[in-house]
Amino acid sequence: MATFGIAMFSTDYSIRPDELAKAVEERGFGSVFFPEHTHIPISRRTPFPMGGELPKEYSHIHDLFIAMTTAAMMTTRIKIGAGVCLVTEHDPIHLAKQVASLDALSNGRVILGIGAGWNAEEMEDHGVPFKKRWRVTGERIKAIKRIWTEDAAEFHGELVNFDPIWCWPKPVQAGGPPVWMGSLSPKSLERVVDYCEGWFPVEAPIEALQSRLRTLREAANRVGRKFETIELAIALFAPNEEKCKRLIELGFTHLVLAQPSEPRDKVLKRLDEAASIAAKI
């Protein structure tokens, strides 16, 4: 049986993240996800991947972990997800503590969706060259998992390097919150197998998703990892009953229905509509 969640850019002009999370839980959904951009450079050298002008909400969203924390404090059951955290914009030791603290305070309800980012200027403002974004992401996540699981953690890589440290609290979830890779890139499927617990792409044509799933299975087989250990989630921008059923047939078990950034009353109406779709499946 599939789990349905909600995702939204929670902004300074839309419904508050705590109000959104409470409404999501009241309607029986299983999760709420928030995206991340620390800022948007005024330079538009990097084009918006989906084409056209960059939507307003990208530069108006609340801080990811403050939004997640307010959501966690207003709920008791639903998962609280990063959809996605841009790892290139975080110090790994600080990020490890943030996520572990939130997992502890939410009683083990965090899902850490991750990405490297698409805006070259944005990550360069954080000191990460665009061409190194995935190497940085991989090393930082591996270092974070060491901190989550070892009392005296150390990591010595090309881009992340620290001697043994103490860093508590540890996450409530054994091994730490599940890390889901939020990328459609074929190359990212090997990264899923290497250091993630799940794959969390955005909506794409069925044929493309089928192809990626075959590639993901092959990547898992090459290193002896059971494909079934990889959770399959997907973010949908225009959900309907038929599309959701087709994705479940493909093996996706967590369907996250993206909602536009709007005031409270409009969002609540949309959540009711989304809940009626989920109830039919």
Side-chain angles (χ1 to χ4, degrees):
M1 184 175 179
T3 297
F4 284 84
I6 294 293
M8 199 184 84
F9 279 73
S10 183
T11 69
D12 56 357
Y13 58 83
S14 66
I15 187 172
R16 291 167 52 99
D18 50 349
E19 293 178 336
L20 174 65
K22 182 179 179 181
V24 166
E25 185 165 85
E26 288 174 344
R27 285 158 178 77
F29 291 101
S31 62
V32 63
F33 284 80
F34 300 97
E36 176 173 50
H37 286 278
T38 59
H39 68 291
I40 294 295
I42 293 176
S43 164
R44 301 301 321 126
R45 174 164 54 92
T46 302
F48 182 44
M50 298 183 184
E53 294 296 321
L54 184 70
K56 176 182 176 181
E57 59 263 29
Y58 278 75
S59 57
H60 282 256
I61 53 175
H62 292 294
D63 175 85
L64 171 62
F65 289 103
I66 291 178
M68 290 177 70
T69 300
T70 62
M73 296 304 99
M74 287 297 292
T75 56
T76 60
R77 177 185 56 80
I78 59 174
K79 298 289 186 180
I80 310 297
V84 297
C85 170
L86 301 180
V87 180
T88 49
E89 301 184 358
H90 293 271
D91 171 85
I93 298 174
H94 187 206
L95 183 57
K97 179 176 280 287
Q98 281 181 298
V99 177
S101 297
L102 181 54
D103 198 60
L105 294 172
S106 67
N107 296 316
R109 292 190 286 133
V110 173
I111 296 172
L112 184 62
I114 65 165
W118 54 266
N119 191 318
E121 302 98 291
E122 183 179 352
M123 66 185 73
E124 287 166 3
D125 286 345
H126 287 277
V128 176
F130 186 74
K131 290 185 178 180
K132 290 186 177 181
R133 66 195 186 283
W134 282 115
R135 287 158 58 196
V136 167
T137 297
E139 282 202 12
R140 289 183 180 177
I141 290 298
K142 291 176 181 179
I144 286 167
K145 289 189 171 189
R146 293 264 185 96
I147 296 171
W148 285 346
T149 57
E150 298 178 7
D151 286 350
E154 64 180 301
F155 190 90
H156 302 287
E158 177 189 358
L159 302 168
V160 178
N161 186 66
F162 53 85
D163 289 330
I165 62 171
W166 291 326
C167 185
W168 276 273
K170 300 302 183 185
V172 169
Q173 298 182 76
V179 176
W180 292 0
M181 173 62 71
S183 174
L184 263 172
S185 163
K187 290 184 178 180
S188 286
L189 300 177
E190 293 186 1
R191 301 176 185 121
V192 173
V193 172
D194 186 18
Y195 54 82
C196 295
E197 284 69 51
W199 182 44
F200 185 28
V202 296
E203 181 178 347
I206 291 295
E207 295 77 13
L209 292 172
Q210 289 175 320
S211 175
R212 299 291 196 278
L213 287 169
R214 286 193 296 269
T215 302
L216 181 58
R217 186 181 291 275
E218 292 166 358
N221 289 339
R222 280 196 296 272
V223 299
R225 179 173 176 180
K226 291 184 178 180
F227 180 76
E228 293 72 23
T229 65
I230 301 170
E231 185 155 6
L232 301 178
I234 190 166
L236 304 176
F237 296 104
N240 58 54
E241 184 179 351
E242 180 181 353
K243 183 185 297 183
C244 290
K245 287 181 177 179
R246 186 71 181 96
L247 290 167
I248 292 170
E249 290 173 358
L250 286 181
F252 288 94
T253 58
H254 202 129
L255 279 58
V256 181
L257 314 182
Q259 306 297 313
S261 299
E262 294 181 326
R264 183 176 184 275
D265 290 346
K266 288 186 177 180
V267 170
L268 296 183
K269 183 178 179 180
R270 288 183 181 276
L271 290 182
D272 289 336
E273 294 170 352
S276 67
I277 293 175
K280 297 175 183 177
I281 299 169

